Amino acid sequence: MSYCRQEGKDRIIFATKEDHETPSSAELVADDPDDPYEEQGLILPNGDINWNCPCLGGMASGPCGEQFKSAFSCFHYSTEEIKGSDCVDQFRAMQECMQKYPDLYPQEDENEEKEKSSKDLEAVPMEASAAKQEKTSS
């Protein structure tokens, strides 16, 4: 005998073997491209920004969500010849907010990265010349 029961927010359905022997009578409904709950990607069919897109990684809902939305909206709807050049103030506000939360928005130190990559590049020629000197001295 099949039955349903509710446990808190969960609904538990028990089905018997006989329940599974009869074909399903469920009808599939064609996808509605304008369904606001359907995953549409970053830009919705009407051109609006889908703030629920997983591709945004939660940026729209974090502590700097409003600043992010403002900067991203400005860039998306920008009609300037250099797209987004009219959004500097919004991006600056977003960056300032993110700097207040370094644990949530880690900042890579550009100077540190440049120094590391230049040291790596310097090490290669030194190693090559050291190996060359070893061969000639042997």
Side-chain angles (χ1 to χ4, degrees):
M1 176 177 145
S2 60
Y3 67 94
C4 268
R5 77 172 190 230
Q6 195 79 25
E7 284 190 12
K9 66 175 181 53
D10 299 320
R11 182 180 218 180
I12 301 170
I13 302 171
F14 291 93
T16 64
K17 183 177 178 181
E18 291 79 29
D19 291 331
H20 289 288
E21 288 175 349
T22 57
S24 173
S25 60
E27 292 181 28
L28 297 176
V29 179
D31 289 337
D32 179 5
D34 296 322
D35 182 359
Y37 300 105
E38 185 68 30
E39 228 178 89
Q40 298 288 330
L42 181 58
I43 307 301
L44 297 171
N46 66 1
D48 289 343
I49 299 168
N50 179 7
W51 297 115
N52 295 320
C53 181
C55 61
L56 294 176
M59 292 290 293
S61 59
C64 299
E66 291 306 312
Q67 292 86 343
F68 174 79
K69 286 180 180 181
S70 173
F72 194 83
S73 294
C74 181
F75 181 82
H76 177 65
Y77 296 113
S78 175
T79 56
E80 293 296 310
E81 189 170 321
I82 299 175
K83 189 168 180 83
S85 62
D86 52 335
C87 306
V88 173
D89 292 337
Q90 289 89 336
F91 277 99
R92 184 173 292 127
M94 180 183 76
Q95 186 177 22
E96 288 170 1
C97 179
M98 290 175 158
Q99 287 172 346
K100 294 176 187 175
Y101 302 94
D103 292 342
L104 294 175
Y105 308 103
Q107 304 279 320
E108 288 186 22
D109 186 10
E110 290 179 21
N111 293 333
E112 195 174 289
E113 288 297 315
K114 286 178 185 176
E115 285 176 19
K116 182 182 177 191
S117 61
S118 66
K119 284 181 183 176
D120 290 344
L121 291 175
E122 288 172 5
V124 172
M126 286 181 190
E127 289 170 4
S129 65
K132 198 183 234 184
Q133 284 179 349
E134 271 185 35
K135 285 183 182 178
T136 57
S137 63
S138 300

